[in-house]
Amino acid sequence: MSATDLTDADYRSGRIKLHTPEDFEGMRAAGRLGAECLDMLTPYVVPGVVTDDLDRLAREFILDHGAIPACLGYRGYTKTVCISPNHIVCHGIPGERVLREGDIANIDVTVIVGGFHGDTSRMYGVGPVAPRAKRLVDVTYEAFERGLAAVKPGARTGDIGHAIQSYVESMRCSVVRDFCGHGLGRVFHDAPNILHFGHAGTGEVLRPGMFFTIEPMVNLGKHPVKLLADGWTAVTRDKSLSAQCEHSVGVTETGAEVFTISPTGQFKPPIVSA
């Protein structure tokens, strides 16, 4: 059993938790390190890189900073990050795969700092990428921004999903239904679930002190996905490209605070059109 499994077992209740100002400080520290890890990886995401080498770099970075890689050993997962290129929707397992020029890839990392989880993912272009791939990434990041803009006290979780879905579909893309955002804090995956589709005015009421991720997965084609035999890797059924953007968020008295913004401004690594 991993450290994260133990933490989840100790704190998971199924109830939505409202956190203190001290908890916000804990999430800021965890979120910053998660963002710094993705910043560190940026210059290494180049044509010819082996995904396992990126995983090793992330693991060494996290441990060198006195933190814990949350995914390592979580429910049997054997790597530090998830790397999901092209038509892999999420939970791609690093290994011998080589990233090639023109690929787009999502890297997802979660760190534990002082007991708090900083969970974030980011899209990377491997060299110049095709215009349709760049457009997909841009749509995904804009979808996140629109979901984030819906976060405020008194709003509902369905408002987040509606904002994301309505924009994505207006851009002739689709939102993955099989995965969602989730509560977090001292627990890796907790209540509430944050769907990235749905109806405004439905779902749980947002209250100051709630922590959760917003992490829309957007496909260039249709939304159905399938799980590969490894039990982790999810891919688009129609082999279309997929992209994701994830941040850890706290509800404040006036709106939302994003804990995982890059301290160096690398919120979006450059995606260069061919």
Side-chain angles (χ1 to χ4, degrees):
M1 180 176 285
S2 72
T4 300
D5 288 329
L6 288 170
T7 301
D8 277 6
D10 287 344
Y11 289 97
R12 185 188 294 117
S13 66
R15 297 189 300 271
I16 297 173
K17 298 175 178 64
L18 300 181
H19 296 86
T20 67
E22 292 75 21
D23 296 335
F24 272 80
E25 287 297 327
M27 287 297 289
R28 289 179 189 123
R32 181 183 178 93
L33 187 64
E36 288 174 341
C37 182
L38 294 182
D39 286 353
M40 178 275 298
L41 289 174
T42 300
Y44 297 99
V45 184
V46 294
V49 70
V50 178
T51 55
D52 212 27
D53 290 342
L54 295 175
D55 187 77
R56 175 183 51 80
L57 287 168
R59 181 168 59 256
E60 291 173 352
F61 178 87
I62 295 167
L63 294 174
D64 287 347
H65 284 77
I68 298 171
C71 292
L72 188 60
Y74 181 68
R75 298 183 179 177
Y77 193 74
T78 60
K79 301 295 180 177
T80 295
V81 299
C82 298
I83 302 179
S84 304
N86 300 329
H87 76 292
I88 297 178
V89 175
C90 62
H91 303 157
I93 303 173
E96 297 180 357
R97 178 165 182 161
V98 174
L99 297 182
R100 305 192 182 281
E101 185 169 302
D103 287 346
I104 57 171
N106 180 268
I107 301 181
D108 188 340
V109 65
T110 306
V111 302
I112 306 175
V113 177
F116 289 92
H117 291 72
D119 188 0
T120 183
S121 80
R122 195 181 293 177
M123 293 301 299
Y124 297 80
V126 187
V129 302
R132 67 191 184 109
K134 180 183 183 299
R135 179 179 180 275
L136 173 66
V137 173
D138 289 342
V139 167
T140 304
Y141 275 87
E142 178 64 22
F144 167 82
E145 294 282 4
R146 294 188 180 219
L148 178 66
V151 178
K152 59 184 177 181
R156 291 181 177 267
T157 54
D159 298 335
I160 301 171
H162 175 74
I164 291 169
Q165 181 185 12
S166 58
Y167 171 70
V168 167
E169 292 180 353
S170 76
M171 301 303 290
R172 302 184 304 282
C173 297
S174 61
V175 178
V176 171
R177 268 71 160 170
D178 299 67
F179 301 96
C180 63
H182 53 86
L184 83 170
R186 290 189 177 275
V187 178
F188 195 172
H189 296 97
D190 205 2
N193 289 335
I194 304 296
L195 303 182
H196 303 116
F197 61 96
H199 300 285
T202 64
E204 300 285 350
V205 176
L206 302 182
R207 293 188 287 168
M210 291 171 64
F211 296 162
F212 48 79
T213 66
I214 302 175
E215 47 182 298
M217 302 168 202
V218 178
N219 296 346
L220 199 55
K222 297 181 179 179
H223 70 78
V225 307
K226 64 179 180 180
L227 193 65
L228 298 187
D230 60 27
W232 288 99
T233 307
V235 301
T236 55
R237 283 191 174 273
D238 60 7
K239 302 276 174 78
S240 63
L241 291 176
S242 187
Q244 183 188 15
C245 171
E246 178 181 13
H247 284 288
S248 299
V249 173
V251 182
T252 69
E253 296 290 342
T254 57
E257 177 178 350
V258 181
F259 300 121
T260 45
I261 291 290
S262 163
T264 59
Q266 297 184 58
F267 181 62
K268 295 195 325 184
I271 304 291
V272 181
S273 297

